[in-house]
Amino acid sequence: MHRRHRFTDVLAQRDLRWFAAGYATSRLGSAMAPVAIAFAALSVGGAQTLGWLMAARVLPVVVFLLLGGVLADRLGSRLVMITADVVRCAGQAAFGALLLVGHPSLAALLVIATAVGIGEGAFTPSLPALIPQIAGRERLTEANALLSVLASSAQITGPVLGGVLAGTTSPAVVLLADAASYAVSVVVLIKLSGLRPPASAHSSLLRDLRDGWTQFSSRAWLWVPTLQFCLFNALVWAPYLVLGPLVAQTRLGGASAWGFVMAANGAGAVSGGIFIANHKPSRPLLVATATTFGYAAPLAALASPLPLAYVCVGAFIAGFGGSIGQALSASTTQRLIPVETLGRISAWETLGAFALGPLALAAAGPVGSSVGVTHLLTFSAIWQVTSVALMLLVPSIRQIRSVPEPDEEPIGNSAPTSAPGRSASVR
């Protein structure tokens, strides 16, 4: 590895500097909101209302991911992101206003949650398609690392700030603040300049989706990590999120202990983002894959009789490696895939990676009770080590380099996107 561009160099670019400010603001608002929504839902109708609201929020995200990817490629990622943030701003503002006015109905809250979920589903695949246009080909890793640091920092400070505001004022104030953060993002996105014009639509939506699937499925370095991440969410991350708090409650010291674990994970993610911004490995996907060995560390610590400090160290290691892996994987995809199809391919990646997440979260508790919490966490740690080791055997993951190859397709190439193999020298 060698030093390259730092955050200061990346932030010297006007568009990226503006976008980073809007992104940080909106992520902070999004990190504050769940605390307020939870307390608001419990006050309106109890745990059942909270469950309905969570489902109404998640389902449209999954449903609209693919459509959001197609629209990002057809209309331009900025326009889709602006529209999505306007919808999310209006939704959170309406939620906050209803709480201020009085006792809102469950039906109204479900409509609002669905609208916010639709906005999130449209926004998510548009983001990776925007970054190459505002960061430039040479600074993709640094730009993605910066966004990872901003998102991780928000995840550390947002819940605390949201909880304090909700407790000292009301959940409505937090939701209105979240709405304001989306408004800031809209203003920033409008100010961006120099973006490519949207591609002309010459085919049907179904054909665009099929074309995106063809490009995605023809590249092993895309679909193999997506499959592994899908199983990771089901077999590793879901047990960690569900059973980790249970272990914290029974032997680590309760909710405050789990708060320390989550904070350590966030601190590791921030540190990993800063580290990778100053280093560029020659084989980015190899390093990105290897760093995810670290996710086994907190699981192993939770499954053992080790004290809280060791669990926190494991969580820090997982966050550090995960942040590095995310930045390198995202920048490699953005470098090797033409901008014109990044939205669709990002949508297929995201949908595949999170397809089993909701079911796994629901099943983690019952399975842990059936086979034993320690046994399930041990299995999860072993699975992570084994699956990552198998991933390292994929030739394209080992061979793709950070320096562009002679036959690598440049960003923004308008050649027919249905021809597989044009975007990378290896597969």
Side-chain angles (χ1 to χ4, degrees):
M1 295 184 180
H2 60 279
R3 291 191 178 274
R4 191 74 183 252
H5 303 85
R6 300 175 184 270
F7 285 156
T8 52
D9 300 314
V10 176
L11 290 173
Q13 299 172 273
R14 174 190 174 277
D15 278 354
L16 187 57
R17 185 170 63 250
W18 271 106
F19 180 76
Y23 182 77
T25 303
S26 119
R27 286 304 296 255
L28 180 61
S30 297
M32 292 166 53
V35 178
I37 292 173
F39 279 99
L42 292 175
S43 66
V44 170
Q48 185 175 1
T49 297
L50 178 57
W52 278 107
L53 286 179
M54 292 178 67
R57 172 73 178 268
V58 171
L59 183 59
V61 174
V62 176
V63 171
F64 277 85
L65 272 174
L66 295 179
L67 179 60
V70 172
L71 293 177
D73 291 336
R74 284 191 169 211
L75 306 177
S77 53
R78 176 172 61 172
L79 178 58
V80 174
M81 293 167 75
I82 289 173
T83 305
D85 274 350
V86 168
V87 171
R88 294 194 288 181
C89 175
Q92 296 297 68
F95 198 159
L98 286 175
L99 291 178
L100 286 177
V101 170
H103 197 76
S105 67
L106 177 59
L109 296 183
L110 290 176
V111 170
I112 291 172
T114 301
V116 173
I118 291 172
E120 188 169 340
F123 185 96
T124 300
S126 301
L127 176 61
L130 181 73
I131 302 307
Q133 300 179 65
I134 62 176
R137 192 180 182 85
E138 295 300 317
R139 292 180 171 88
L140 285 173
T141 300
E142 293 87 338
N144 283 294
L146 173 63
L147 298 184
S148 176
V149 167
L150 294 176
S152 299
S153 299
Q155 286 301 117
I156 296 174
T157 58
V160 176
L161 183 57
V164 171
L165 281 177
T168 56
T169 57
S170 73
V173 172
V174 179
L175 291 168
L176 292 175
D178 187 25
S181 75
Y182 286 127
V184 171
S185 179
V186 169
V187 172
V188 167
L189 287 167
I190 291 173
K191 291 181 69 67
L192 298 183
S193 60
L195 303 184
R196 72 171 181 88
S200 300
H202 297 298
S203 59
S204 66
L205 290 175
L206 185 59
R207 183 170 180 179
D208 282 348
L209 284 173
R210 187 167 59 245
D211 178 67
W213 169 256
T214 299
Q215 291 204 57
F216 169 76
S217 61
S218 66
R219 293 170 169 86
W221 59 271
L222 279 174
W223 70 260
V224 171
T226 299
L227 176 61
Q228 193 265 349
F229 199 73
C230 179
L231 296 175
F232 163 83
N233 275 320
L235 302 177
V236 178
W237 200 238
Y240 175 73
L241 292 178
V242 175
L243 301 181
L246 179 61
V247 174
Q249 184 180 41
T250 55
R251 74 171 183 86
L252 296 179
S256 60
W258 187 244
F260 281 119
V261 173
M262 298 303 288
N265 184 269
V270 171
S271 301
I274 295 172
F275 175 83
I276 200 59
N278 294 311
H279 299 78
K280 182 168 288 188
S282 60
R283 300 179 187 271
L285 290 187
L286 179 65
V287 174
T289 302
T291 56
T292 59
F293 275 121
Y295 280 110
L299 289 157
L302 286 168
S304 72
L306 292 172
L308 175 62
Y310 288 89
V311 180
C312 289
V313 170
F316 182 93
I317 293 171
F320 186 87
S323 181
I324 292 174
Q326 188 278 331
L328 291 176
S329 298
S331 59
T332 301
T333 301
Q334 291 160 355
R335 178 169 60 86
L336 297 181
I337 300 297
V339 172
E340 291 84 354
T341 56
L342 260 176
R344 279 167 284 173
I345 288 179
S346 297
W348 281 114
E349 278 190 288
T350 306
L351 180 63
F354 292 97
L356 298 179
L359 178 62
L361 287 169
V367 173
S369 298
S370 176
V371 305
V373 171
T374 299
H375 289 157
L376 181 54
L377 291 172
T378 301
F379 167 80
S380 297
I382 294 173
W383 171 268
Q384 181 64 10
V385 172
T386 304
S387 63
V388 173
L390 291 174
M391 286 266 292
L392 294 175
L393 299 178
V394 179
S396 55
I397 289 176
R398 300 197 312 270
Q399 296 166 7
I400 285 180
R401 295 180 176 272
S402 59
V403 178
E405 301 290 343
D407 62 340
E408 188 176 288
E409 196 170 40
I411 288 179
N413 194 301
S414 58
T417 56
S418 58
R422 291 290 306 281
S423 296
S425 57
V426 290
R427 186 156 315 210

